[in-house]
Each structure stands twice: as C-alpha cells, then as structure tokens.
Amino acid sequence: MLEWANIIAIVMMTLSLLMNMWRMAAGPRTLDRVVALDTMYINAIALIILFEIYLDSVLYFEAALLIAMMGFVGTVALSKYFLRGDIIE
Amino acid sequence: MISFELLVSVTIAVLVAMGVYLVLRARTFPVVLGLSLISYAVNLFLFSMGRLEVGSPPILQDGVEVYTDPLPQALVLTAIVIGFGMTAFSIILAVKAYVELGSDHVDGEEP
Amino acid sequence: MTMLLIVLLPFLAIGPVWFAARFSRNASFYVAATTTGLGLGLLASLVPEVMAGNVFVDSWPWIERIGLNIAFRMDGLAMLFCILILGIGLMVVIYAKFYLTEDDPIGPFYAMLMTFMGAMLGVVTSENLLLLAMFWELTSISSFLLIGYWRHLPAARQGARLALMITGSGGLFLLAGVLLLQEITGSLELSVVLASGPQILDHDLYWAALICVLMGAFTKSAQFPFHFWLPNAMTAPTPVSAYLHSATMVKAGVFLLARLHPAMSGSPEWFFLVTGAGLTTLAFAAYVALFKHDLKGLLAYSTISHLGIITACLGMSTKWATIAAVFHIMNHAAFKASLFMSAGIVDHECGTRDARLLSGLRHSMPITFGLATLGALAMGGAPFFNGFLSKEMFFKEAYTLSQAHPYWPDAEYWAWIFPVVATVGGLFSVAYSVRFIHDVFFGPEAHDLPKHPHDPPFGMWLPVAILVAVCVVVGVVPMYTAESFLYATASPVTGYDMPEALHLHWWHGLVPELYMTLVAIAAGIGVYTQWKKIAAIGDKLPTIVGKDFFESFIEMLIEGARALDRLVDNQSLQRYMAYTISFATLAGFMAYIEEGWQSGTGVQTPASLVSLVPVILLIAGAFMTDFFQRKRLVSLIFMSVVGLIVSLMFIYFSAPDLGLTQISVEVVTVLLLLLALFVLPQWNPVESGWLRRSRDILVAASAGIGVGALAWGVMTRQQQTIADYYLAESLPKGGGTNVVNVILVDFRGFDTMGEVSVLALASVGIIVMLTGKKPLYPNQVMPFPEERFPLMLTSVTRVLVPTALLVAFYIFMRGHNLPGGGFIAGLVAVVALAMQFVASGLDWTKGRFKLDLVRLSAIGVLLAVGTGLAAFVWGRPFLTSGMLHLHPPGIGEVHIASAMAFDTGVFLVVVGSLVLIIRRLSRYQQTMEVQDKAGGNE
Amino acid sequence: MAFWLEIVVSFFLVAGAAFALIGSWGLVKLDDFYMRLHGPTKATTLGLGGILLASALYFNFNPDVAGVSIHEVLITIFLFITAPVSAHMMAKTALQKHFDYVGGQQDPLNHPRNVHTIQEHDLSGMDESQIPDGDEEE
C-alpha cells in the first residue's frame, strides 16, 4: 500500500512540477516566474523525500535540506532585486 | 523503449544546443548564460561516463554490494566548482568591460 | 676530455665575464682574455698529436633514441678552425677592450662573444652531426645578439634580424640535410658519414641532402644569392665584424663544405652547384666592393668575394683545389681580420669610415697606415704575401679546368669561363684593395673629420700587427711556416688523399697563373684609376638589392597572413565562435563518418514515464532560457530551473554529493549574476537577422546532436572501470566511507589542490579587475526609496544564518563518511553569508564578520599544501594521509584523518574566494551608486 | 512495519502530495498575481509539511530502517520559517510595482490607508521605467 501511495504521490508531484513550469513559461510578469520557481524548489524537496521513502535510504536528506535553504535564498535575492535593484547593499 | 541512457543523451544534446546558441549571441550576458548551460551539459556528460545507476550511491554501507562509479563523480564535483569560478570570472569581465567601454556587446563596441 | 673542456670553457666563462663587469671593465676583459688564452693552451697540448696525423674522437651518450651524442672530433680541419677561433678571438678580445667606449656595457658584450666562441668551437669540433646543427643555430643566435649589440640603432636591429632570418633558416635546411644524411647512412656520427661517400652519392636522396646542406653552407657563408645579409650586418661593432664576419662565422659555411667534402663531393651536382655559386659570388661581390664608400661595406663584399674563391675551390674538388681552399681559409682569416681592425681604428679615431671623407691619413696615423697597407697587399694578392700563394693555387686550378676535366674530356671553348671569371675577380680584388689604401691614406690631408685623427693606443694596433706579421711571414717563407701545417689541416678535407709533399713557393716559373696574376694586378690598377667612370656605367645597370627583395618578401608574407586573418577573423567574436564551434562539430562528425556511428549493445536502464517529466522540464527550461534571452532576468530564472533539475538528476542517479554541490553552486551563481545584472543592461536589443539566427540554430543543433550522439554511444557500451580499486581501498587507505570525498581529499588530492588553487587565483583575478578607479557610467538609479532591509527578512536571517552555518559545519564534519565535505560545506557557508549580506547589508555584516578573506583563502591553500607536505615528515610521498581513530564517550567513533586538514583547506579556499567575489562585486556597485549621486547633484 | 503505521504514512503522503498539487493548480488557475501567491505559499507548504511528517513517521518508527532521523524536523522548521518570509517579500514587491489585481479595485498603494507612505517618500524624479524587472520591453 505504501508503495502505491508513494507512487501516486510522486506522480502528483511531477504533475505539479509541470504546472509550475507552465506558469513559469506563461508569466505574464517576471514575478510570476519567481513564484513558480520558488514552488518548484519546494516540490523538488518533496520529490526527494518521496524518493528516499521509495529507496528506504536516508542519504539524500541533506539534499532536501539544502534545496530548502537555497530555494529561500534564491527567492529572496530575486525579490530584493525587484525591490531595490541592488541585492547586496 | 525509453531508457535513462536515451533521456540523458537527449538532455545533454539539448543543453549543448541551447548553450551554443546563447554563446553565439552578441551580448555578454547571454554568452555567460550559454557557457553555464554548456558546463551543465559537460558535467552531465562526464558524469554519465560512470554509467547511470539509480539508488546506489558510492557511500560504503554494510551489506550493500552495488555501488556506482565514484571517480566521475569526484571529477565532476571539482568541475562544478571550477565551472563556477569560470562563470564568476567571465561575468565580472563582462561587467568590467561594460563599465569601461560603455557597451556590453561582445566585441566591445556597439555595432 | 680536453676537447670537451675547450668547447665548454667559453660557456663557463659567460657568467663570470658578465659578473666581473660589475666591478670593472678590466676585470671582465681579463676573465675573457684568460679564458681564451686557456683555451689556446689546451688546444696547444693537442696540436703535436694532430699534426702527426692523429684523429681524436670523444663521445658521451646523450639522447640515444634520436642518435644524439655529445661527441667531439679533433682532426686537422677542426684544429685549424680552433686556432682561428681562439687565436683571432684573443686578438678581438684585446682589441674590443680598447674599441668599446665607456658607454658600451662590456659585460654583456664579452658574455655574448664567449657564447659565440663556444658555439663556434662546438660547430667545428662536433663529431655528431645533430650536435653540429645545434651549435650551428647557436652561432646564428649569438651573432644575432652581437650584431644588434648597439640596440639603439635601428639599422643594427634590422641587420641583426636579417642575419638571423637568413642564417637561422639556413640552419633549418642544414638540420634537414643532416637528418637526410642519417637516413642515407644510418648514422649521425661523422666518422660513419665520411666513410660512406659512395653510398651517399648513389642514394636517391643525395640530391635533397646536397641541396639542404648547401643551403645551410651558402646562407652562412653569404654566397650568392644569400649574400645580402652580410653587408647589413656591418652595423655591428667592428670587433664583431672582424671576428664573425671575416674570420669565423662566415667560415662556418665553408667549414661545412670542407667537412662534408670527402662524403658528398665527386658528383656533377656538387661540381656545378658549388663551383657555380663560388665563381658567381667571387666576381659579383668583388665588383660591388669596388663601389662601396663605407670601408666596412667594402671589406664585407670583399669577404663575400673571398669566400667565393674558397667555395669555388671546394667545388672544383681536385686535390690541389681543395688544398688551396684550406690555405685560403687561413690566409683570408689573417689578412681580413687585420683589415677590419684597421678600418675599425680609422673609424674609431676619425669618427667616420666613409671613403669619400677620409683622405691623407698617412701623416696623422703612420702606424695604422703601414699595417693597413700590408694587409691590403695581402688581400689584393701581391707577391710576398700569403694571399698571393693561395690565389696562385686557385688561378692554377681554374686554368687547369679550362683544359680538361672528367666531365668534359676535351677542351671546350666555354670552359674558358673559369680562368676568365677568376681573373676578373682578382682584377676587382686588386682594384678595391688599392682603393682602400689610396682613398684613405693618400691624397691631401682631410680637415673636416669629426675627430682629430691620430694613431690608436698600443693595445689596439698590436693585434693588427700580429696578424699582419703572420701574413708577411707566411708569404715570404711558406716552406718553413705553413707547409706542414697546411698538410695536416688539408688532409681531412681531401679524405687523406694528399700529394707526397706540398712544396709551397712563390715562384713557379712563367706559368699561366703568373700571367693571370699580372693581368689582374695591372688591370686592377687601371680600373682603379678609372673607377669613377666605371661607377657611372655601373649605376645605369639595373641593380637588385637583396635586402629590399628580402624585405618585400617578408612584407608579402605578413600581408598574406593578414589577409588570411581578415578572412577568418573580422574582429567579431560571434563569427569567430561560430567558426570554431562549427569546425569542432565538423571534426567530430568526420570521425562518425569515417568510423561509422552505432549505438552500443550494453544493458540499458528502462525509464518510467514519471522520469520523463524532469527531462521535459529541463528541456523546457533550457529552451526558455534561449527563448527569453532578450529579457535577461527571465532568462536567468529559467537557467536556475535547469540547474535545479540537473541537481535532481544527480541525486536520482546516485550522486548525492554532486546534487548538493550543484544546487549550492546554482544559487551562488544566480546571486552573482543578479549582482552583475544590476550594472548591465536589462535587455538585449534585437540584432541578428533571420539569416544569422538560422545559421546559429543550425550550428547549435548540429553541435547538440553530435555531443548527444557521442554520449549515447558511450553510455550504451560496456564500461571498463577502475572504480573497484577506489571502492575497495577507500576505507582501509582513506579512512572514509564516502568514496567520492575520499577520492577528492586523498586519492586524487593533488588534483583537488590544483583546483582550489585555481579558484583562489580566479578570485584574486577578480579583485584585480574590480580594483582601481571606477569610471562613471550611467546606471540604473535606485528605483524605490523603500526600506533597504525588510524587517521580516532581517529578523529571520538572525536565526537562519547561524543555523545554516551549523549545517555547513555538520556537512563538513560528516563529509568523509556521508555525502558532504569541504566543497559543499564551503558553498553552504558562502550562501549563508550571502544571505546575511542580502538581509542586512555589507556594512552591518562587515562590522560583525571581521575576516581578511584573501588571507583566508591563502591559509586554505597553504593548509592543503601543508597537509601534503606533512606526509614527508613520516617519510611518505606527498599527500599521503594518516589516520587517528578516537572514541570519545557519548559521541561514538571519530575518525581524524589528516585528510580532514586537507578538507579544511578546501573549505577555507571556497569560503574565502567566493565571499570575496560576491563582496567585491557589490562594493563595486556601491561605489558606482555614490558616483551617480554625486554626478546628479552637480 | 506495522499496518497502522503504513496507513498513516500513506495517508500523509497522498494528502501532502494532494495539497502540493492543489497549490500548483492554484498557481496555474488563479487570475492575478496576489491570488496566485496564495497557492504555493499556503497549500504547497502545507503539503510538503504532510510529506515531511510521513517521512518522519516512516523513518523513525520503522524497525526496518536503522537509526533516528531528525532531518525532517530540521527541514520543517526551516521551511516553515522561510516560506512566509519569501511570500512576504514577493507580495511586497508586487505592491511596490503596482501590479493590477482583478476585481476592479484601484492600485493598492493609492488606497487612502497607504497614501502617507507615498508622501513620505519623494518619488519625483524617479523614472520607473528604469526599474529592473525584465517585464518591460525596450
């Protein structure tokens, strides 16, 4: 059952990734793309955790952790770029 | 049949093609982006020389016998970092050129 | 051993000579003179043996694979040249001491002279032909330096360049010739080559080898049509001209002919080519010499002409002609060196060497007048001088040729050309000798000279006197002075096929050569009296100036190269890149076409439909990066999608370390590009037409397909891996279970060390680029006077940054056993610090984060290197790692491998360099903002 | 692995994924930027929380998998701190840039409540076309 649940979850996550990509491509504003990118990062974390459950392995948690961190920094930097232009003042 | 080998090859091909197209643009910024894309492709290419294995990372564990090839990974790891060094250097070169020359055309002057 | 020492001595003296010049000119001079004298002494110890007919060969293996040995050979010919080089060398060293003024740096001069002397000695004593070619090129290079000694004179530089190009390329021909000889005879050793004369003559490659060797010899000896570099080299200081261009270097060419004479002569090719070149040069150069106003120019052409005599003699290749050639080599060296020195004295004392200005110097410079006259008589071939003897022998041989020869058994009317040309050459030789003396020393005394002339100091005329004495003594009593010596020196040239005895005399009775001499002398004096009229005729004849021809040839080459360059490179990077990439792609496809492309038969891993999605995303991301390339920011966002998916792929395909690295690098790259984008324009203008775009798409697509096909071809084939070694040895030898990290810090630690050094260097380069005065350039103004640091962000980062640094530390510590390590930990720390910069600004952070980042990365590099060096303490090779296993209570087992220290070094370099880059770039922008504001207020 | 645990884990997995999917669906479907921001920041974050919870249960209460894993906690904390902040930043940006929103309301920055903000800052002399955001055409 868990296996099936896992696979369903993975399919759903990939679907949402595709939707994010659609939003990213469609825009219309650049900030929409940034939101989509941020969402993609979060979905990627989810995918990695699902992958871990699938493999019964804990070797990939750091990747999830780092993606969470990097996604945040990336989004913040982009937002700051819109706000101020100069991201590091 | 779709195989991972095929998918990765297609990926590499697309990355190279897109990267090359960007490298051929007339402004410095796309050229830097293109170089980044090409270096993704190159990293993937080198990595794939160790063949593609799912779920057998080269972390030694008791009772696990199958590991993927660690050597290309080690090479690619440094390649990623060095690639970053190159990107950083070229983008700052672009900034400097723009500031000094007043143009970010790759030839240093507006056509 | 003695021979090696003779050759090495001058080279060993280079340093001391130069060094001594820092103390005094005299010290340098004494070192140079002592060295030369010592060489002469060493040579003297060999002379008796060589005179007795012995040949010494010493050999030490050097690069045996290509047949190159350090081998020396001392026979009569080598001895003759050694005596010339060292003897005249000594004269020149003494003369130069007085000739050079205080302004001329004497240390470099003597150092170059010593280099040349050593190289020349090497040429004449080499037993190995390849060694000879090497020394040969060294003479070209050192003569280049010597000719260009007065480097402030453009003419000197041009002359030096010309000489180098002609003699240097001749040297390349010689090298080819030598290799061909090796091909023919199977050996580079002279003893073998000299013994296989018939084999060489019969070989198919004889022609090619002969041409190559002759090119080398003719360029060096300034034979027509390669003569023109020699007059242009007369811009050199006179000691150099006397040494290189009369006595030694130009003789290297005829030396080569003489050296290979036993092996390569005896064919019609040899006869016609060598004799033809010699006679042409002889007559042509003697004619030109007559009309030269520059004394050294006159002497230069005279030298060419005399070299022509020697060449012609060697070309005739009969027993007596060969002996005449060797005899003339020594005679010419003696009188021409003395004349050059006399010309130098005149130049030195009068400030000019223009024959039109000089006049009547016999009153003010009696000693010089006497010595120069004697030298000129020898040059003109007057009886009782050494020049007379060898010229007589030459005339005799030329006359003999007109009578009969193996190639034309009966007397042919055209064969008269030999004695006629010889006589004409002699005639002009007499004419210019007379002119040299009469113009300079006779006539009314000149009063408008730059300097007031008087006789030079003793040291300057002594060498001239010694040489002139030799000329006279040999000329008057050849049977007691030169006979046995000539016999010994000429033997190797004739292949030890010598007449019983030589019987040198200046009176042979009323023979044809005597009439030829008399005609030459009488007509020569006649020509001199009418030389101005003849010159008027000569001016009307078309002249081909070799130098101009050569210069225009070089100009043509350069122009051709430029045209080719313009064809492929129109200063457009785009076009250049397109060509380069197309060419590389094409080359790749050529390999496919040639070898045929097919996919491998290895096992393929089937992929699920789900795994198709990331690939689609990646392709879409990459495509959008291109599609939106004109909106740079959007393009950048799509690129970071590509980075994200690539790192997911790494994770999926069992490379967690790579995934971690990729995602961190991705974010740092985005930060950096955003920083840069703030300065750069936001959009790309539309620039490419559809044609250009289609071309680029074509190039890009074919490159992509090529690389993709290659990847597919490789991946579907069975793999030969060396991974098993690393997997098996990682724990026992590297003390870690994360094999990737163990490879990085241990097995391939040397590579990693290089790579962190590159990273550190890149950051240093970036600092340099962003340092200095920033030019004012219009830039995006700050759009919103909003709060600079959003409160929420700032507050959250107060918590997040320490957490992130903790994560970095954690990843670092476990890196040896689980995914992580110095690179990744460093990147995480960089991102954490960058987050701090974004949230709170540079100034805030700087107040709390006081670290010299340059020093940090330097410490990192040193730590990595130091860890490697530490292995030496335990007597292990560089970068061997040691291990320490600790069991502190509560934590479990802790490995402390020395690799940990190495990894720390990596960590520090990554943090230092990357933070430095980011900080420097944002500082740069701030400076520009300040400038913008200042500019706006004015 | 206990059956009940499997049920719980499966439930959280599917539920979490469903929330994430809904979040992305919202990102695609909703009409203006302010609305679209809701999907990812709320639904997706919650969905990820569900998946993380499932993972924590799976790895910590599963006798088949050795060891204790606290990563999920770390990630959860990290995510739940950062997600609001990034959402805040983006919303702030959108406000600043006067993004339109559906429903006929005026520019939020011109709302009476916000007028003083504008007065405080002298916007004159600022050429807004120079704002870097990549949206405008040259």
Side-chain angles (χ1 to χ4, degrees):
Chain A
M1 183 170 71
L2 181 64
E3 216 163 280
W4 276 105
N6 201 335
I7 287 169
I8 290 169
I10 288 178
V11 170
M12 291 204 293
M13 292 321 294
T14 51
L15 274 181
S16 47
L17 270 179
L18 281 176
M19 288 184 197
N20 297 341
M21 194 67 211
W22 188 86
R23 175 49 71 198
M24 243 184 130
R29 297 226 177 223
T30 312
L31 206 55
D32 286 300
R33 306 183 209 275
V34 178
V35 176
L37 180 66
D38 189 49
T39 318
M40 266 195 185
Y41 271 99
I42 295 175
N43 288 359
I45 302 169
L47 266 180
I48 288 175
I49 290 166
L50 293 173
F51 183 55
E52 273 189 312
I53 295 176
Y54 177 75
L55 287 178
D56 262 1
S57 160
V58 291
L59 289 174
Y60 303 96
F61 267 120
E62 280 67 31
L65 185 61
L66 281 199
I67 291 181
M69 198 172 127
M70 301 301 159
F72 172 65
V73 176
T75 310
V76 165
L78 282 166
S79 306
K80 188 89 189 286
Y81 187 75
F82 288 109
L83 277 176
R84 305 276 307 168
D86 190 0
I87 60 169
I88 297 178
E89 295 177 58
Chain B
M1 184 183 72
I2 308 170
S3 66
F4 282 131
E5 282 77 11
L6 181 66
L7 289 181
V8 172
S9 307
V10 169
T11 308
I12 292 171
V14 169
L15 283 177
V16 167
M18 297 301 164
V20 166
Y21 183 77
L22 282 187
V23 164
L24 295 175
R25 295 301 90 206
R27 300 283 157 171
T28 49
F29 195 80
V31 171
V32 174
L33 290 190
L35 283 177
S36 293
L37 286 186
I38 291 177
S39 65
Y40 289 144
V42 171
N43 289 341
L44 269 179
F45 183 82
L46 287 180
F47 171 71
S48 68
M49 292 302 103
R51 303 303 185 270
L52 307 172
E53 298 271 351
V54 180
S56 47
I59 312 287
L60 301 179
Q61 282 168 307
D62 293 334
V64 180
E65 287 302 320
V66 180
Y67 298 105
T68 185
D69 193 341
L71 195 59
Q73 295 195 15
L75 294 181
V76 171
L77 202 152
T78 48
I80 293 173
V81 179
I82 294 292
F84 168 76
M86 186 197 71
T87 308
F89 196 86
S90 45
I91 190 67
I92 284 172
L93 201 61
V95 167
K96 184 75 175 171
Y98 178 64
V99 169
E100 294 278 348
L101 304 170
S103 163
D104 68 336
H105 196 279
V106 284
D107 298 334
E109 54 191 15
E110 294 294 325
Chain C
M1 199 62 214
T2 322
M3 282 183 283
L4 182 68
L5 212 58
I6 291 173
V7 176
L8 273 185
L9 254 179
F11 289 115
L12 294 177
I14 294 170
V17 159
W18 201 312
F19 187 69
R22 298 173 61 160
F23 301 107
S24 77
R25 297 168 67 84
N26 280 338
S28 186
F29 160 67
Y30 286 128
V31 175
T34 315
T35 312
T36 320
L38 212 60
L40 269 175
L42 284 171
L43 184 66
S45 69
L46 292 175
V47 166
E49 295 276 339
V50 179
M51 290 290 279
N54 292 332
V55 176
F56 296 94
V57 175
D58 275 355
S59 182
W60 293 270
W62 185 8
I63 309 175
E64 294 183 42
R65 205 155 48 86
I66 58 169
L68 179 56
N69 296 320
I70 298 181
F72 296 104
R73 172 191 190 88
M74 182 62 80
D75 55 10
L77 185 66
M79 182 187 69
L80 165 66
F81 271 90
C82 283
I83 290 172
L84 286 182
I85 292 160
L86 288 167
I88 296 182
L90 188 60
M91 307 293 138
V92 166
V93 165
I94 298 168
Y95 178 84
K97 154 90 170 44
F98 296 93
Y99 180 85
L100 293 177
T101 61
E102 293 291 321
D103 298 335
D104 302 320
I106 204 160
F109 180 82
Y110 277 136
M112 290 188 275
L113 205 66
M114 289 293 124
T115 317
F116 174 77
M117 191 185 281
M120 206 56 218
L121 287 170
V123 167
V124 298
T125 55
S126 285
E127 156 76 4
N128 189 287
L129 282 172
L130 212 52
L131 192 68
L132 189 149
M134 279 172 58
F135 279 120
W136 184 278
E137 289 290 18
L138 191 57
T139 62
S140 297
I141 292 167
S142 51
S143 82
F144 166 76
L145 293 172
L146 281 166
I147 295 168
Y149 174 71
W150 282 323
R151 61 187 82 162
H152 53 278
L153 301 176
R157 294 199 299 268
Q158 280 170 12
R161 200 183 59 187
L162 191 66
L164 179 68
M165 290 196 68
I166 299 289
T167 59
S169 43
L172 292 179
F173 272 103
L174 173 64
L175 181 65
V178 163
L179 295 178
L180 283 171
L181 280 179
Q182 186 193 21
E183 183 70 30
I184 295 170
T185 62
S187 172
L188 283 168
E189 303 301 310
L190 261 180
S191 1
V192 179
V193 173
L194 291 183
S196 41
Q199 188 192 343
I200 295 173
L201 291 190
D202 289 341
H203 202 277
D204 290 340
L205 287 171
Y206 172 69
W207 252 104
L210 180 68
I211 297 278
C212 285
V213 169
L214 290 185
M215 284 294 280
F218 287 173
T219 50
K220 204 75 163 180
S221 281
Q223 293 300 291
F224 185 85
F226 308 109
H227 61 280
F228 50 88
W229 68 264
L230 188 57
N232 284 298
M234 287 302 138
T235 44
T238 303
V240 174
S241 308
Y243 193 35
L244 271 65
H245 305 134
S246 70
T248 54
M249 192 178 85
V250 291
K251 294 275 168 59
V254 288
F255 165 80
L256 187 70
L257 292 180
R259 181 48 103 198
L260 293 175
H261 183 263
M264 300 189 82
S265 69
S267 67
E269 291 95 333
W270 172 279
F271 177 83
F272 286 109
L273 279 176
V274 180
T275 315
L279 287 176
T280 315
T281 313
L282 155 68
F284 167 78
Y287 167 77
V288 175
L290 178 60
F291 304 109
K292 284 284 159 189
H293 302 302
D294 179 3
L295 291 185
K296 277 175 77 179
L298 187 151
L299 290 176
Y301 273 102
S302 135
T303 302
I304 297 173
S305 160
H306 281 272
L307 289 169
I309 295 181
I310 301 169
T311 308
C313 284
L314 286 168
M316 294 170 191
S317 158
T318 57
K319 211 177 285 182
W320 280 98
T322 315
I323 295 166
V326 176
F327 197 25
H328 202 65
I329 287 174
M330 43 179 133
N331 292 338
H332 175 255
F335 65 69
K336 191 53 63 66
S338 77
L339 281 172
F340 261 115
M341 291 189 201
S342 304
I345 290 171
V346 169
D347 185 17
H348 199 256
E349 301 302 332
C350 303
T352 179
R353 46 173 207 254
D354 191 329
R356 285 167 297 188
L357 299 178
L358 296 164
S359 177
L361 288 179
R362 68 180 188 279
H363 302 294
S364 47
M365 305 174 76
I367 302 174
T368 316
F369 162 60
L371 294 173
T373 310
L374 294 176
L377 285 171
M379 174 163 77
F384 309 113
F385 289 94
N386 58 355
F388 172 77
L389 297 170
S390 42
K391 205 176 257 184
E392 285 276 272
M393 287 164 84
F394 166 60
F395 281 168
K396 182 178 176 215
E397 289 308 307
Y399 176 76
T400 316
L401 276 186
S402 68
Q403 301 306 313
H405 192 273
Y407 301 133
W408 57 91
D410 300 320
E412 303 256 355
Y413 66 95
W414 60 264
W416 280 100
I417 198 166
F418 295 108
V420 168
V421 171
T423 314
V424 168
L427 176 163
F428 280 113
S429 175
V430 170
Y432 65 66
S433 300
V434 173
R435 184 177 173 226
F436 181 81
I437 297 303
H438 191 264
D439 274 19
V440 175
F441 294 101
F442 287 88
E445 204 162 347
H447 293 290
D448 49 353
L449 296 174
K451 285 183 185 170
H452 184 69
H454 57 80
D455 264 324
F458 169 75
M460 223 162 154
W461 62 258
L462 176 71
V464 187
I466 294 173
L467 289 170
V468 168
V470 169
C471 296
V472 177
V473 170
V474 170
V476 178
V477 281
M479 43 295 217
Y480 306 121
T481 49
E483 218 173 76
S484 56
F485 184 69
L486 182 59
Y487 194 92
T489 50
S491 312
V493 186
T494 56
Y496 299 97
D497 176 24
M498 294 288 282
E500 287 291 313
L502 290 177
H503 300 304
L504 296 176
H505 281 288
W506 48 268
W507 178 254
H508 300 104
L510 295 170
V511 284
E513 59 263 32
L514 184 67
Y515 296 124
M516 286 163 77
T517 309
L518 290 177
V519 167
I521 291 175
I525 293 170
V527 163
Y528 172 65
T529 56
Q530 302 296 321
W531 82 270
K532 280 195 175 131
K533 284 179 193 163
I534 297 174
I537 302 168
D539 285 343
K540 283 183 190 126
L541 295 173
T543 50
I544 301 166
V545 183
K547 186 185 165 215
D548 293 350
F549 182 73
F550 178 79
E551 295 274 312
S552 60
F553 175 69
I554 294 290
E555 197 61 34
M556 202 182 72
L557 276 185
I558 293 173
E559 204 40 59
R562 283 216 184 101
L564 194 66
D565 182 55
R566 270 196 300 274
L567 199 69
V568 291
D569 177 17
N570 64 342
Q571 301 291 300
S572 158
L573 183 76
Q574 282 173 279
R575 193 201 251 201
Y576 203 62
M577 290 298 289
Y579 283 169
T580 312
I581 294 170
S582 314
F583 186 78
T585 313
L586 216 66
F589 276 111
M590 287 300 282
Y592 285 151
I593 291 165
E594 224 159 83
E595 300 291 323
W597 184 87
Q598 61 190 67
S599 74
T601 51
V603 184
Q604 295 179 24
T605 326
S608 58
L609 217 55
V610 170
S611 50
L612 204 59
V613 172
V615 173
I616 291 172
L617 288 180
L618 190 140
I619 292 171
F623 179 74
M624 294 294 175
T625 313
D626 279 21
F627 185 77
F628 286 106
Q629 55 99 2
R630 289 186 43 246
K631 294 180 176 180
R632 294 182 173 184
L633 185 63
V634 179
S635 189
L636 175 60
I637 291 173
F638 278 107
M639 196 200 77
S640 69
V641 174
V642 175
L644 175 69
I645 307 285
V646 168
S647 58
L648 283 184
M649 282 174 83
F650 282 142
I651 291 167
Y652 187 72
F653 293 120
S654 322
D657 285 280
L658 289 189
L660 295 174
T661 316
Q662 180 68 63
I663 192 72
S664 321
V665 162
E666 188 52 46
V667 168
V668 182
T669 310
V670 168
L671 283 177
L672 203 67
L673 291 182
L674 279 178
L675 281 171
L677 195 55
F678 177 57
V679 181
L680 296 170
Q682 302 297 311
W683 300 279
N684 295 338
V686 186
E687 274 171 324
S688 321
W690 64 269
L691 202 67
R692 165 71 66 90
R693 264 184 242 178
S694 337
R695 183 200 73 179
D696 291 351
I697 288 171
L698 190 71
V699 170
S702 41
I705 289 168
V707 177
L710 184 62
W712 166 253
V714 174
M715 271 190 281
T716 49
R717 279 174 168 78
Q718 278 297 324
Q719 179 195 17
Q720 294 275 321
T721 181
I722 52 169
D724 295 335
Y725 168 79
Y726 293 113
L727 290 169
E729 300 295 337
S730 173
L731 198 53
K733 284 199 177 158
T737 54
N738 181 1
V739 187
V740 175
N741 187 264
V742 173
I743 291 175
L744 278 178
V745 298
D746 196 325
F747 291 124
R748 311 287 305 171
F750 202 64
D751 294 359
T752 312
M753 203 176 80
E755 273 146 343
V756 293
S757 313
V758 169
L759 199 61
L761 276 179
S763 74
V764 171
I766 286 168
I767 301 171
V768 173
M769 251 197 289
L770 294 183
T771 309
K773 203 166 166 291
K774 285 97 186 168
L776 194 62
Y777 194 74
N779 185 35
Q780 290 91 356
V781 293
M782 297 294 289
F784 291 109
E786 245 298 323
E787 48 175 347
R788 292 174 67 194
F789 306 111
L791 182 64
M792 270 186 76
L793 179 62
T794 315
S795 318
V796 166
T797 48
R798 296 281 186 278
V799 185
L800 283 183
V801 170
T803 319
L805 288 175
L806 202 66
V807 170
F809 179 70
Y810 164 71
I811 285 178
F812 174 75
M813 288 308 289
R814 52 171 252 165
H816 214 45
N817 292 316
L818 288 166
F823 272 119
I824 302 163
L827 286 165
V828 173
V830 170
V831 172
L833 290 172
M835 181 157 55
Q836 188 70 73
F837 288 148
V838 172
S840 307
L842 276 183
D843 296 325
W844 188 91
T845 319
K846 205 174 182 184
R848 287 154 185 79
F849 178 70
K850 291 196 177 76
L851 267 181
D852 187 342
L853 291 167
V854 182
R855 196 164 292 166
L856 197 68
S857 41
I859 291 171
V861 173
L862 287 180
L863 199 61
V865 177
T867 317
L869 290 178
F872 287 139
V873 178
W874 286 277
R876 300 286 202 74
F878 190 62
L879 277 171
T880 311
S881 64
M883 265 175 289
L884 193 64
H885 294 273
L886 293 181
H887 297 271
I891 301 178
E893 188 178 340
V894 174
H895 299 279
I896 299 188
S898 68
M900 189 71 107
F902 186 85
D903 221 11
T904 312
V906 172
F907 174 82
L908 290 180
V909 173
V910 171
V911 173
S913 314
L914 267 53
V915 174
L916 194 66
I917 293 170
I918 291 174
R919 205 167 72 178
R920 194 48 87 112
L921 187 54
S922 38
R923 268 283 171 247
Y924 192 63
Q925 296 171 344
Q926 279 184 343
T927 324
M928 296 213 305
E929 283 158 29
V930 171
Q931 283 179 345
D932 279 356
K933 278 170 191 157
N937 290 339
E938 278 163 14
Chain D
M1 188 174 177
F3 183 66
W4 65 268
L5 186 62
E6 206 175 322
I7 291 181
V8 175
V9 170
S10 307
F11 169 73
F12 277 119
L13 276 185
V14 175
F19 269 104
L21 184 62
I22 290 167
S24 293
W25 174 244
L27 186 66
V28 171
K29 185 85 171 70
L30 294 173
D31 289 330
D32 69 26
F33 178 79
Y34 299 102
M35 290 189 205
R36 285 198 287 267
L37 198 53
H38 287 291
T41 51
K42 297 187 176 64
T44 304
T45 312
L46 185 64
L48 186 57
I51 290 172
L52 283 167
L53 189 61
S55 161
L57 291 173
Y58 179 76
F59 282 109
N60 289 324
F61 294 94
N62 189 349
D64 300 341
V65 181
V68 182
S69 172
I70 57 157
H71 296 80
E72 290 85 353
V73 185
L74 206 59
I75 297 174
T76 313
I77 293 173
F78 210 93
L79 200 73
F80 278 49
I81 294 178
T82 58
V85 177
S86 47
H88 168 76
M89 290 287 286
M90 285 186 282
K92 199 179 172 69
T93 311
L95 277 176
Q96 213 98 82
K97 301 205 60 153
H98 308 268
F99 278 12
D100 312 322
Y101 57 104
V102 182
Q105 286 94 334
Q106 71 273 51
D107 184 339
L109 277 187
N110 288 335
H111 193 274
R113 208 176 56 224
N114 286 331
V115 165
H116 68 278
T117 329
I118 297 166
Q119 282 168 345
E120 265 175 32
H121 306 293
D122 181 18
L123 279 171
S124 63
M126 287 296 172
D127 181 0
E128 294 208 0
S129 68
Q130 285 182 308
I131 304 162
D133 72 349
D135 276 344
E136 289 89 345
E137 297 292 331
E138 68 271 28

